[in-house]
Amino acid sequence: MAKAVPLGKEALAIDRNSFRHRFFRDFSLNKLLYLMMVPVLVYYIIFHYAPMYGAIIAFKDYSPMKGIIGSDWAGFQHFRDFFGTYYFWRILTNTVIISLYSLLFMFPAPIILALLINEVRNQGFKRVVQTISYMPYFISLVVICGMITDFTNSDGIINSLFTAFGYDGAAMLQKPGLFRPIYILSEIWQKIGWESIIYIAALMGIDQEQYEAARIDGASRLKQMLHITLPGILPTITIMFILRMGNMLNVGFEKIILLYSPVTYETADVISSFVYRKGLLEFGWSYSAAVGLFNSVINLILLISANYVSRRVNDSGLW
């Protein structure tokens, strides 16, 4: 007599067979799409997953002569050294403040630009505005930082304009209190047009019949924006917000190190620039790896938290 299979195991086996059947059927129908996905997977495996192995040096006294495996274990010593140093609170505070400023001012900027562009009825003027707003993103970051430095020098055009209103005329980037506003404003100027593309694409997907019905009911353009446009792109805004939260503490060190100086370390030095100095300039590989790993863990926690809150509030998230 055959042994009875528990209902739970039988259902699981059927579900697995069904999934396998659907997968192979979809694969046979979309072979080219799966083939296009291979380079992306290879890229992520080589440049994103394989390097995770190197994170182990955060727990070792890494020596290039001994290699990762041969280096002596240090446990959490590098983390304790980082948490106990004077620089910990300074760079953490600077990173959080710059990240919050970016979230507060830079995140809504492309949304506002996309909404304004969407309201423009002259197609020629709309294309001109889009092109002009995109252009700064394609300029080399070194050139951008050079322009910012020249414009804010003691004889720069921006400095000269502020001097006419009572500014003392000193180079703006040499003043710790002005570094953050200059950084945020330049980021908005450089990226607002490019980041608005995804919101403009989302706006194109809104059903135009909703606007026609709203106009028939007498809704003004402002009410159409508030009750049709914004709800229509809310899922896109939610996804972009979650992704931004996942990179909350990843303030780009390239622009920071091109603009800051020892004079402005107290307001400009962030985790990524600190890792750069300790790891590449002072050869503290294990110490800098510990700091970078701490930063990644915090970003992961923020990403999961933002996704959880989003799922609870409006039932929309990355997973």
Side-chain angles (χ1 to χ4, degrees):
M1 182 176 179
K3 185 178 179 180
V5 179
L7 183 59
K9 291 184 178 180
E10 183 180 354
L12 183 60
I14 294 174
D15 185 64
R16 286 177 178 174
N17 292 332
S18 177
F19 172 78
R20 191 180 299 111
H21 174 74
R22 290 197 305 269
F23 173 77
F24 283 111
R25 183 174 180 273
D26 186 69
F27 181 81
S28 62
L29 294 175
N30 303 287
K31 292 180 180 178
L32 293 179
L33 293 179
Y34 281 98
L35 184 63
M36 292 173 60
M37 189 174 64
V38 171
V40 179
L41 291 176
V42 172
Y43 166 79
Y44 272 94
I45 291 172
I46 295 176
F47 295 103
H48 290 270
Y49 286 95
M52 288 183 183
Y53 167 73
I56 196 175
I57 69 174
F59 306 95
K60 290 194 169 192
D61 286 324
Y62 174 70
S63 171
M65 298 297 295
K66 296 180 179 180
I68 295 178
I69 298 298
S71 298
D72 299 328
W73 284 98
F76 291 94
Q77 184 60 45
H78 300 300
F79 293 92
R80 288 193 292 267
D81 292 342
F82 174 56
F83 297 149
T85 184
Y86 159 78
Y87 299 107
F88 171 70
W89 289 111
R90 187 182 76 177
I91 66 174
L92 182 61
T93 301
N94 291 341
T95 305
V96 170
I97 290 176
I98 292 178
S99 298
L100 288 176
Y101 282 173
S102 298
L103 189 65
L104 183 62
F105 297 106
M106 192 175 164
F107 180 75
I111 301 174
I112 296 173
L113 178 62
L115 293 174
L116 293 176
I117 290 176
N118 186 61
E119 293 298 318
V120 176
R121 294 293 177 261
N122 189 314
Q123 295 299 317
F125 181 72
K126 179 185 292 188
R127 286 192 291 269
V128 170
V129 172
Q130 288 179 284
T131 302
I132 293 174
S133 65
Y134 298 162
M135 287 175 63
Y137 184 81
F138 297 99
I139 302 176
S140 168
L141 184 60
V142 176
V143 176
I144 289 287
C145 292
M147 293 169 60
I148 295 170
T149 302
D150 290 339
F151 291 161
T152 57
N153 274 337
S154 56
D155 56 349
I157 182 172
I158 296 178
N159 203 323
S160 301
L161 292 174
F162 277 86
T163 302
F165 293 95
Y167 181 68
D168 59 14
M172 291 181 170
L173 284 176
Q174 299 302 313
K175 289 183 171 292
L178 294 178
F179 182 87
R180 292 167 185 163
I182 292 173
Y183 178 87
I184 297 300
L185 289 173
S186 62
E187 281 283 285
I188 294 174
W189 167 68
Q190 184 183 3
K191 297 179 179 180
I192 184 173
W194 180 257
E195 292 186 357
S196 68
I197 293 176
I198 189 169
Y199 299 109
I200 294 175
L203 289 170
M204 299 296 291
I206 299 177
D207 187 4
Q208 297 300 310
E209 292 183 358
Q210 298 183 45
Y211 292 103
E212 295 177 5
R215 284 192 291 268
I216 293 174
D217 291 339
S220 63
R221 295 179 69 174
L222 178 60
K223 289 186 176 180
Q224 293 176 39
M225 181 186 296
L226 294 176
H227 299 286
I228 299 176
T229 307
L230 283 177
I233 64 173
L234 184 59
T236 303
I237 295 175
T238 301
I239 297 300
M240 296 303 294
F241 178 78
I242 294 172
L243 293 175
R244 178 62 64 89
M245 289 298 296
N247 290 282
M248 186 72 171
L249 300 185
N250 284 345
V251 180
F253 77 94
E254 300 94 343
K255 191 172 186 178
I256 293 288
I257 64 175
L258 288 172
L259 293 178
Y260 80 165
S261 64
V263 178
T264 56
Y265 276 179
E266 60 181 281
T267 58
D269 197 18
V270 295
I271 292 177
S272 57
S273 60
F274 183 76
V275 169
Y276 166 78
R277 287 203 314 276
K278 288 294 182 180
L280 297 181
L281 302 184
E282 301 179 15
F283 305 107
W285 295 292
S286 293
Y287 185 85
S288 62
V291 178
L293 185 58
F294 162 77
N295 185 44
S296 299
V297 170
I298 297 300
N299 281 328
L300 178 62
I301 294 173
L302 290 174
L303 174 65
I304 295 174
S305 301
N307 188 77
Y308 173 77
V309 172
S310 176
R311 296 290 296 182
R312 293 295 299 270
V313 173
N314 57 13
D315 198 27
S316 177
L318 290 176
W319 65 85

